[in-house]
Amino acid sequence: MTETTTEKPGISAAIIVKDDRVLMVRRRVSEGELMWQFPAGAIEPGEAAEDAAVRETVEETGLVVTAIRLLGERIHPKTGRAMSYTACEVLQGEARVADEDELDAVAWVSHPEITDYVPYPLYEKVQEYLDDVLPR
């Protein structure tokens, strides 16, 4: 039997806004044209997408966050993976590269700078959320 993309675990991304900027991380190894993205990782068996977003953020950036709400889910057009996007707020810590195997940089990005980091349209529900909470 051949494996389909639906059999791979879904990916949960954390959309973290602080001081009018959103947190982006740069992968050490790019996934196609994906270099900069939101903190994200595989959802573990039995884990809620929101919990995975919180866990992955701590593992990748050392930042402790809490999930505010699930923004949406989709099949990623570039990777074919099931994706969940969760809005999160910072509880404590400073963002840094905590997982040096996966990441080589973190950045707090203002609304006008997002297209410098991600040169293609964001998932519409993420874009709508950022349009709502970030000054332009």
Side-chain angles (χ1 to χ4, degrees), residues 8-37:
K8 291 181 180 173
I11 303 294
S12 185
I15 314 304
I16 305 158
V17 172
K18 179 183 174 189
D19 300 329
D20 296 333
R21 293 176 180 268
V22 64
L23 182 63
M24 309 273 311
V25 298
R26 188 170 65 196
R27 296 274 159 219
R28 187 166 290 288
V29 177
S30 69
E31 298 176 44
E33 55 188 287
L34 295 177
M35 281 294 292
W36 284 97
Q37 59 193 67

Side-chain angles (χ1 to χ4, degrees), residues 69-132:
R69 66 184 167 98
L70 185 66
L71 296 175
E73 299 175 314
R74 70 168 177 170
I75 300 300
H76 196 285
K78 306 252 184 228
T79 65
R81 297 289 291 271
M83 292 288 305
S84 299
Y85 300 85
T86 300
C88 297
E89 67 181 10
V90 176
L91 294 179
Q92 66 186 53
E94 293 296 323
R96 60 185 169 78
V97 175
D99 185 342
E100 294 182 1
D101 292 336
E102 283 197 33
L103 306 182
D104 70 1
V106 299
W108 289 100
V109 180
S110 68
H111 193 289
E113 294 171 326
I114 292 171
T115 53
D116 296 340
Y117 287 80
V118 183
Y120 47 84
L122 296 176
Y123 172 46
E124 64 190 41
K125 292 184 179 178
V126 170
Q127 187 68 59
E128 288 165 8
Y129 174 72
L130 294 176
D131 289 349
D132 203 35

